[in-house]
Amino acid sequence: MEEKQQETADKKTLRQEIPVYSEKYGVHGKVLDYGVVTKLVFNYDGKDLEVGIHNNPLMNTDYSQTGQQILESYIENLSSKDRKVMLHNWYIEEHLSQKSGRYALAHGIVTGHTRLPDSIFCHTSKIRETYVNEEDELVILTMNTEYHCPLNSCDWNKQDQYPDMISDYEKIKAEYKDKALRPEIEPGKVLLVLSNFSHYYFHSLYCIPEGADQPCEYSGDAHIGMFQDSYLIEADNGRIDLRYFPHFQNIEFYSEHTQGMPLFLENVGDVVLYAKTSAGMMKLDPGDRKEVIKANAESETLSLPNGDLYPAGIIE
């Protein structure tokens, strides 16, 4: 109990606030060190960013230099232009209030928002208009934001409770309900699908072992570590065992056991992702699918964020 109380006290105490500046790009930021949590915060191209920094108490880390390297690496390797604000696994819900009357809000996993990090579940403000565009998206307009919602990503079970919130809902449901994104690959290969709208980047896994007639079942779980979070994926009764540390727009494998089957990575999100593998650093642009082999690895060593993907929230 005393240890827990001390941990809570430490989390409330800002030990250091270190200014960070990139002369190369003219961008300011700061490293906030709370002892148990350290993170870099800055704004670039109108987006507020919060990036975890690996905190090793045994190392005398120069946070000013580390923060500058991560900031510049984000601009050079991780930033994206002209992103749409999107909602995934979304639904629209009806609300009633004495002041505003009947109105609608949308819920879903957001990406591309200027103030919210990717993969956070959120709700919109009051919806003023919706329509279906030519890209198979429901576009939701609020007072300040335009959200793009893939029709094949609707949470149908939730939306069935509010069918009149979407025009032609039954027609849309009949056409898109069975069209959820499910990337596949040939038998005898393992496909790990990643996305920035999935928690810890894990979207799905697909593998039909040789001699089988159905894809193997899989499970994925986060492991919250004392010093570093990780994500564990198991399939085919443990014959496939994939484990990685999730960082800001990159992952770092520490287990790639596939029982000799070739491993492929696919990025179905809308930002670049990197994967540090046994074959080297792999760059996955949106839509890329690459086999984990040395021929597909990057030739240059990149300085990428190595802290937790979801830095703990701090109460100050």
Side-chain angles (χ1 to χ4, degrees):
M1 177 66 72
E2 291 180 357
E3 291 178 356
K4 287 290 184 182
Q5 291 174 342
Q6 183 59 50
E7 180 178 308
T8 302
D10 286 343
K11 287 186 177 182
K12 292 181 179 178
T13 305
L14 178 58
R15 294 187 176 182
Q16 292 187 80
E17 180 175 317
I18 303 101
V20 172
Y21 178 65
S22 168
E23 185 175 352
K24 183 177 182 180
Y25 294 105
V27 177
H28 290 270
K30 55 187 176 183
V31 171
L32 304 178
D33 178 18
Y34 296 89
V36 294
V37 176
T38 305
K39 51 191 174 183
L40 167 70
V41 295
F42 64 100
N43 181 287
Y44 178 71
D45 198 28
K47 182 174 178 61
D48 293 325
L49 294 142
E50 182 179 282
V51 181
I53 296 178
H54 183 60
N55 184 332
N56 187 338
L58 300 179
M59 297 181 64
N60 187 22
T61 304
D62 184 340
Y63 285 129
S64 180
Q65 181 180 20
T66 299
Q68 178 188 338
Q69 290 174 345
I70 293 174
L71 189 156
E72 293 181 349
S73 179
Y74 171 83
I75 295 172
E76 294 164 4
N77 303 305
L78 304 175
S79 61
S80 303
K81 298 288 186 180
D82 303 321
R83 292 182 65 195
K84 296 187 292 187
V85 183
M86 301 187 71
L87 284 181
H88 307 263
N89 196 30
W90 57 271
Y91 64 96
I92 298 176
E93 183 177 43
E94 180 184 17
H95 285 260
L96 291 171
S97 74
Q98 292 181 345
K99 182 178 293 187
S100 303
R102 184 174 183 262
Y103 64 98
L105 301 179
H107 303 255
I109 298 171
V110 70
T111 59
H113 201 282
T114 56
R115 297 187 307 277
L116 300 175
D118 289 352
S119 82
I120 295 296
F121 191 84
C122 74
H123 67 79
T124 70
S125 57
K126 182 178 178 180
I127 295 173
R128 57 184 179 86
E129 182 184 351
T130 65
Y131 64 90
V132 175
N133 66 12
E134 296 179 352
E135 299 178 47
D136 296 326
E137 298 170 333
L138 180 74
V139 179
I140 295 175
L141 302 177
T142 66
M143 288 300 295
N144 300 310
T145 308
E146 178 176 300
Y147 294 90
H148 293 253
C149 310
L151 292 174
N152 64 352
S153 181
C154 178
D155 186 333
W156 305 107
N157 291 331
K158 295 277 183 63
Q159 197 60 64
D160 282 346
Q161 301 175 42
Y162 308 95
D164 60 338
M165 292 290 97
I166 300 176
S167 298
D168 298 321
Y169 174 65
E170 294 301 333
K171 180 181 178 181
I172 291 173
K173 179 181 175 181
E175 183 175 355
Y176 291 95
K177 183 176 180 180
D178 297 322
K179 292 185 178 181
L181 186 61
R182 298 188 184 97
E184 301 179 356
I185 201 167
E186 300 88 351
K189 299 177 180 179
V190 179
L191 176 64
L192 175 61
V193 184
L194 306 169
S195 82
N196 60 305
F197 57 82
S198 300
H199 209 43
Y200 291 96
Y201 300 122
F202 177 60
H203 178 277
S204 58
L205 183 134
Y206 191 91
C207 176
I208 302 179
E210 294 288 357
D213 57 2
Q214 294 292 330
C216 56
E217 295 184 356
Y218 63 84
S219 62
D221 294 291
H223 178 262
I224 309 303
M226 183 175 295
F227 297 106
Q228 182 71 64
D229 296 346
S230 61
Y231 201 83
L232 289 60
I233 303 156
E234 183 179 306
D236 201 20
N237 297 315
R239 292 193 291 174
I240 297 172
D241 188 337
L242 303 174
R243 306 183 182 202
Y244 58 79
F245 299 117
H247 309 302
F248 186 89
Q249 282 183 232
N250 73 99
I251 64 174
E252 180 181 353
F253 281 97
Y254 64 93
S255 174
E256 299 172 34
H257 181 65
T258 60
Q259 206 176 37
M261 292 182 285
L263 175 61
F264 288 75
L265 306 178
E266 180 170 352
N267 178 8
V268 296
D270 69 342
V271 297
V272 63
L273 297 175
Y274 289 85
K276 187 176 182 180
T277 74
S278 58
M281 183 69 75
M282 313 277 294
K283 180 181 180 181
L284 299 166
D285 285 314
D288 275 356
R289 175 183 291 191
K290 292 181 179 180
E291 184 177 0
V292 178
I293 54 176
K294 290 185 178 180
N296 289 332
E298 295 294 291
S299 57
E300 297 182 4
T301 301
L302 302 177
S303 176
L304 296 174
N306 64 354
D308 279 342
L309 174 58
Y310 304 113
I314 302 297
I315 302 173
E316 296 188 62

